[in-house]
Amino acid sequence: MDKSQNASYQAGEAKGQAQEKAGNLADKASNATQSAKESCQEAGQQMKDKAQGACDAVKDKVGANK
């Protein structure tokens, strides 16, 4: 392999590695986004459940939950 072919090969290797790293970063970002979305949904559901519990407690106190 001459110098020109070697340089071309190394450039191709570097490009492939850069593409792989970019793909991995995109996957990590997607996973982080999905995790954050799920955490927000879970927190929202917990807040909804607590609010419903508080509402039911008030209804029980005033006798409106019959």
Side-chain angles (χ1 to χ4, degrees):
M1 200 183 301
D2 66 15
K3 287 182 182 182
S4 174
Q5 288 174 325
N6 189 32
S8 179
Y9 173 80
Q10 288 180 353
E13 281 284 304
K15 179 181 177 184
Q17 289 173 359
Q19 288 173 333
E20 180 68 20
K21 285 182 182 179
N24 288 340
L25 287 174
D27 288 344
K28 286 180 182 179
S30 178
N31 291 342
T33 300
Q34 183 64 29
S35 179
K37 177 182 174 185
E38 289 169 3
S39 293
C40 287
Q41 287 174 337
E42 184 177 327
Q45 185 63 45
Q46 288 175 355
M47 290 174 61
K48 180 182 172 187
D49 292 344
K50 287 181 182 180
Q52 184 64 51
C55 186
D56 289 343
V58 169
K59 286 181 180 178
D60 288 341
K61 276 285 193 204
V62 298
N65 204 13
K66 294 182 180 181

